[in-house]
Amino acid sequence: MQTITKQQAREFILAKQGLLGVHRFVGKDGAYSYVRQAGCIQYDPVDVCGKNAELTLQSRVKGFSKSMLAELLYQDRKLVDYADKELSIWPAEDWPFFSSYRERSMALGETFEGLEELKEQAIAYIAENGPVCSDTLPIEGEIFWHSSMHWSGNWHKKSNAARSVLEQLYTDGVLVIHHKNSSRKYYDLAERYLPKEYLETPNPCRDEAEFQAWRVLRRIGAVGLLWDKNSTALLGIYVNAEQRKSIMEQLMAEGKIMPVQVEGIKQLFYYREEDDALMQAVLAGEADLKPRMEFIAPLDPMMWDKALVEAVFDFRYSWEIYTPSEKRKYGYYTLPILFGDRFVGRVDSAVDRKEGVLRVKGLWWEPGVRVTKKLETALERTLQRFAKFNGCSKIAR
């Protein structure tokens, strides 16, 4: 088993992520390729300086614009909005793997009195009239129901009937999101947009254990290096320590992952076998590691396991969006600043759409970072690119 330094671990993760060297991901095709590599990227509706999924892509994809993601989701239908690591965006080609997820949703939905009849009404209306939102679906009143999206237990609460029916059919896989108007979701029948082969292909996983192993393997690929430790990168998979260890051993026995020891860290790390060529290139000093500066999304796959980031990168990050203002150390939507193989600072910015200005509300360099002319130049160029990504013509610092 190989032992690598923390610097080599950082270089491998960043090279895998497409955050070092020449851009591996370019344009809309590059955006799709990155989502396929990551398996899923998290969706969050908050838009201060771009939504999380958009921010994740802008840091890696040369020439990325927000419209590219919308096109991949709602025109090309290469991506879908659905649950995975919380609410996520993932390749439509993975639809068959989530068969058991949808079956579980249907079974849970059957436990709510009156819901099946309302589902039939909704499907018939949408089949005749096309996309609807909760305000345009003619189902009134409230029902006792809860979303099966998070599988948090079979508890009931009173909720808007139209919204509840649409969300249930969505988690059942009968509906997909047709488009979004701001944060409002419009739904239509999945059979109108997803290829027949995706809808009819049997679940490639023979049982739930195989599905869990497939998801763990996908999350390892999303982060690059993942340790054998309770990890928020595995959120939503619901495996305990014994199950996780068993899955790692199984994946190793199948030759799908490889172990590596990082100097100074007790836990073993794993990476996908398909990335071994990259690992060897990093160790041989042959990988493209030219430094770039990027602003990283708060729910970026690289940031999923903040304990891992702190251990490998010596960078402690907390997303303060839910922290009371008086307790915040930095800002409401502060993004880590990556330069080369290190996090060098944080930036808190917001888009003034009326004025077309990107307002930099706060900038903090990490302890020990020398603010050189090279660093300032890199920051200015990154801010200019970030402003353009957000449709801003000016920057206010």
Side-chain angles (χ1 to χ4, degrees), residues 73-119:
L73 281 164
Y74 309 125
Q75 294 181 27
D76 306 336
R77 298 288 168 180
K78 289 185 173 183
L79 302 176
V80 294
D81 316 73
Y82 200 70
D84 189 354
K85 189 178 185 294
E86 303 290 356
L87 292 174
S88 298
I89 293 169
W90 42 264
E93 65 186 350
D94 286 345
W95 187 261
F97 285 92
F98 285 83
S99 298
S100 62
Y101 204 106
R102 295 188 292 274
E103 290 165 3
R104 189 163 35 159
S105 172
M106 291 178 189
L108 184 58
E110 291 173 357
T111 66
F112 296 96
E113 186 177 348
L115 185 59
E116 290 303 305
E117 182 180 344
L118 293 177
K119 284 165 63 174

Side-chain angles (χ1 to χ4, degrees), residues 253-271:
E254 294 171 352
K256 293 179 180 178
I257 61 173
M258 303 184 72
V260 67
Q261 191 80 55
V262 178
E263 287 182 358
I265 300 177
K266 180 180 177 181
Q267 286 78 17
L268 274 180
F269 284 76
Y270 299 92
Y271 61 93

Side-chain angles (χ1 to χ4, degrees), residues 122-140:
I123 292 170
Y125 182 85
I126 295 169
E128 183 176 349
N129 297 280
V132 298
C133 68
S134 58
D135 286 348
T136 60
L137 180 66
I139 292 178
E140 298 181 353

